[in-house]
Amino acid sequence: MSANDPFETADPQVARLLAEERPGDNAQPMSVSELSFALKRTVEDRFGHVRVRGEISGFKRAASGHIYFSMKDDNARLDAVMWKGGVARLPFAPEDGLEVVATGKLTTYAGRSNYQIVVESLEVAGEGAMMLLFEKLKARLAAEGLFAEDRKKKLPALPRTIGVVTSPTGAVIRDILHRLADRFPTHVIVWPVLVQGEGSAAQIARAVTGFSNMPDDGSVRRPDLVIVARGGGSIEDLWAFNDESVVRAVANCTIPIISAVGHETDTTLCDFAADLRAPTPTAAAEIAVPVRSELIQRVGQFGLRMSNCVRKQVDLAAERLQAQRRLMPRLADLAAPHQQRTDDLAERLRQSLRTRVGRAEIAYSGPAMMLHPRLLSRRVEQGQQRLDALTRLAGSLHPEAPLKRGFARVTDAEGKTIMTREAAVKAGDVTLRFADGEVGSTVQGGAAPRPALLKPTKPAVNQGNLFDG
């Protein structure tokens, strides 16, 4: 060692400025990552499976679906994370202040130099903690109005179809079917579900929503009433019926619904959300339908009471009518003055008719004489003679009559009669119409017309007028 070297010292406890390897020293320096990985492996190997009890604090749900929180007691705090796959299987909703038991493994998180538990399953720590969770959820849902009385629907008096949400293999469905068959045979649709354990809450919620969404005109008749049922059990066994998704499905069901979960002393949030709570599944069947024989008896009693009521009213009305008839005058007395007046009017009518008929005979006797057959025959003959004279006169005045006496009718190309020489010269080509036909001719001033061929014409069609002789 040189006395002039300030970095050299024989004492290993003396701080040195420059790190350097020393003879016999086998503790090589590690990187931070190497140390963090070594710690992670050591912790995971030593604490690969642990169960920790503590109170949830700082609960946070990430957008990815993972949840982060701390578990604490009076003296310590442990960070925890649960991946979304495990979160989806949780039978309850974690929240701050809830005491739970977490099962998982310890690991380290090098980014913050701390350790945490990766939770694989999470359970409520004892019935006391479960009841605390129950009361908190009940208060929150009640504040939303899910248990309000004005939301409750009236149950149908006589449902034709009943939907039942329960296990298809348990004693509950057998009890319900047996009681319905005894009281009033009814069509039942069973929606099979798990009533406890993992996934049971989701199945129950889907079943209730499925019944609610069934169309009225579908191939399967929509239930008029739904029963959600399960046998008795511990608070843990019945916890699926405290799940928020189940409670909301029951509260929002558009079909009247009865909750029959557990025994009479058991209570679930499903009972508060339903339209009616039954103490047992068997009691739910009794509430759902009346006793058929009792109903028939009641209908018969109502029919008898209605008949008696009608008969009583008829008898009372008859008595009142009889009393009124005694107070009223006789019909003959009421009708006598009118009958007498009718007789008077009838006699006056007969006299009036006789008078008018006599006057009519006198007034129409003169015209009647003029309508005598002999007078009518004479007038007809006179009329015929006048008609014959007019016919002869019309025949003599017919335009075609002079043609039969050797005259001709001169017409232009349009068939108009030419009356003057000037008109004939102006027309040029004319037609001479004789009684037996027509002859074409050309008029050239005062010169003689050129001969023209005789053109036969069709005989005039008889029009049936007065001028056809």
Side-chain angles (χ1 to χ4, degrees):
M1 179 179 63
S2 173
N4 298 325
D5 187 354
F7 299 105
E8 292 183 2
T9 176
D11 188 356
Q13 299 299 325
V14 177
R16 293 183 298 177
L17 179 63
L18 181 64
E20 60 181 7
E21 295 183 4
R22 297 190 302 274
D25 188 0
N26 59 359
Q28 300 297 322
M30 303 172 63
S31 67
V32 175
S33 297
E34 289 174 341
L35 180 58
S36 296
F37 178 76
L39 286 172
K40 178 180 179 68
R41 184 172 56 191
T42 301
V43 170
E44 290 181 353
D45 289 343
R46 174 65 180 82
F47 302 99
H49 179 79
V50 294
R51 284 173 58 83
V52 183
R53 179 170 181 162
E55 179 183 315
I56 294 178
S57 175
F59 179 83
K60 181 175 64 175
R61 187 183 299 270
S64 60
H66 312 318
I67 59 174
Y68 299 89
F69 57 95
S70 296
M71 298 181 65
K72 67 178 183 177
D73 57 18
D74 294 339
N75 302 314
R77 183 175 68 87
L78 172 64
D79 290 340
V81 59
M82 190 173 192
W83 311 127
K84 68 176 182 180
V87 174
R89 295 191 298 269
L90 284 177
F92 65 97
E95 60 181 41
D96 286 348
L98 182 65
E99 188 175 8
V100 295
V101 174
T103 301
K105 65 178 181 179
L106 285 184
T107 185
T108 61
Y109 181 55
R112 288 199 296 266
S113 297
N114 63 355
Y115 62 94
Q116 62 185 9
I117 180 173
V118 177
V119 180
E120 297 174 356
S121 65
L122 200 62
E123 302 165 319
V124 179
E127 291 191 4
M130 294 185 74
M131 289 306 301
L132 178 62
L133 179 62
F134 176 91
E135 293 298 334
K136 287 184 176 182
L137 183 57
K138 177 183 175 183
R140 179 163 61 85
L141 296 180
E144 294 183 24
L146 265 64
F147 307 149
E149 287 298 323
D150 55 2
R151 292 176 57 97
K152 309 294 184 183
K153 295 178 287 295
K154 186 177 179 181
L155 303 184
L158 189 60
R160 295 176 56 188
T161 302
I162 297 177
V164 180
V165 178
T166 190
S167 171
T169 59
V172 170
I173 186 61
R174 293 195 298 270
D175 292 343
I176 292 176
L177 294 176
H178 179 70
R179 186 50 57 96
L180 290 176
D182 287 344
R183 293 175 64 86
F184 201 110
T186 307
H187 181 60
V188 176
I189 302 175
V190 179
W191 197 305
V193 297
L194 293 173
V195 293
Q196 71 180 67
E198 184 177 341
S200 58
Q203 290 189 18
I204 297 169
R206 281 197 301 268
V208 173
T209 304
F211 275 135
S212 179
N213 293 338
M214 288 180 65
D216 292 328
D217 55 352
S219 58
V220 178
R221 177 175 172 80
R222 187 173 189 261
D224 305 307
L225 177 68
V226 172
I227 298 176
V228 178
R230 189 207 186 282
S234 65
I235 184 173
E236 183 178 1
D237 294 336
L238 304 181
W239 194 256
F241 297 90
N242 293 322
D243 189 87
E244 184 173 351
S245 63
V246 173
V247 178
R248 292 189 181 277
V250 170
N252 295 326
C253 184
T254 57
I255 303 174
I257 190 166
I258 298 176
S259 175
V261 179
H263 298 306
E264 188 171 357
T265 56
D266 298 323
T267 303
T268 65
L269 295 181
C270 181
D271 298 333
F272 295 101
D275 298 303
L276 184 68
R277 175 186 180 267
T280 63
T282 303
E286 295 176 353
I287 295 171
V289 295
V291 178
R292 185 173 182 273
S293 58
E294 294 179 357
L295 184 62
I296 293 175
Q297 183 179 2
R298 289 178 61 192
V299 171
Q301 292 175 351
F302 288 149
L304 181 61
R305 290 172 59 184
M306 183 177 64
S307 298
N308 293 336
C309 182
V310 171
R311 186 179 299 109
K312 183 177 180 181
Q313 292 296 326
V314 171
D315 293 343
L316 182 59
E319 292 177 1
R320 291 176 179 174
L321 179 60
Q322 189 64 29
Q324 293 295 329
R325 287 182 61 186
R326 288 193 295 267
L327 297 176
M328 294 176 63
R330 294 186 304 166
L331 180 60
D333 295 340
L334 293 174
H338 300 286
Q339 290 178 347
Q340 185 175 359
R341 179 171 175 77
T342 301
D343 293 340
D344 292 343
L345 292 175
E347 183 61 28
R348 290 172 60 185
L349 179 60
R350 284 192 292 270
Q351 293 295 337
S352 177
L353 288 175
R354 292 193 192 101
T355 301
R356 297 197 65 178
V357 168
R359 292 176 181 174
E361 288 178 349
I362 296 173
Y364 292 106
S365 59
M369 290 299 296
M370 295 179 64
L371 296 175
H372 195 274
R374 286 180 294 179
L375 294 176
L376 289 176
S377 178
R378 187 178 304 159
R379 296 190 65 182
V380 170
E381 290 176 1
Q382 292 175 353
Q384 184 63 45
Q385 292 173 1
R386 292 182 62 191
L387 179 59
D388 293 342
L390 290 173
T391 300
R392 288 192 297 272
L393 177 59
S396 64
L397 296 176
H398 197 282
E400 303 295 332
L403 302 183
K404 297 178 181 180
R405 298 195 297 273
F407 294 95
R409 181 182 175 194
V410 182
T411 61
D412 58 12
E414 297 178 357
K416 296 181 180 179
T417 303
I418 296 175
M419 306 296 292
T420 63
R421 175 182 178 277
E422 182 182 356
V425 173
K426 184 177 181 180
D429 293 334
V430 297
T431 301
L432 301 178
R433 183 175 180 184
F434 297 93
D436 59 348
E438 296 177 350
V439 176
S441 179
T442 301
V443 179
Q444 298 179 351
R450 293 178 295 178
L453 296 177
L454 180 63
K455 180 171 65 175
T457 61
K458 296 181 181 179
V461 179
N462 184 2
Q463 299 295 327
N465 55 39
L466 292 176
F467 300 103
D468 290 335

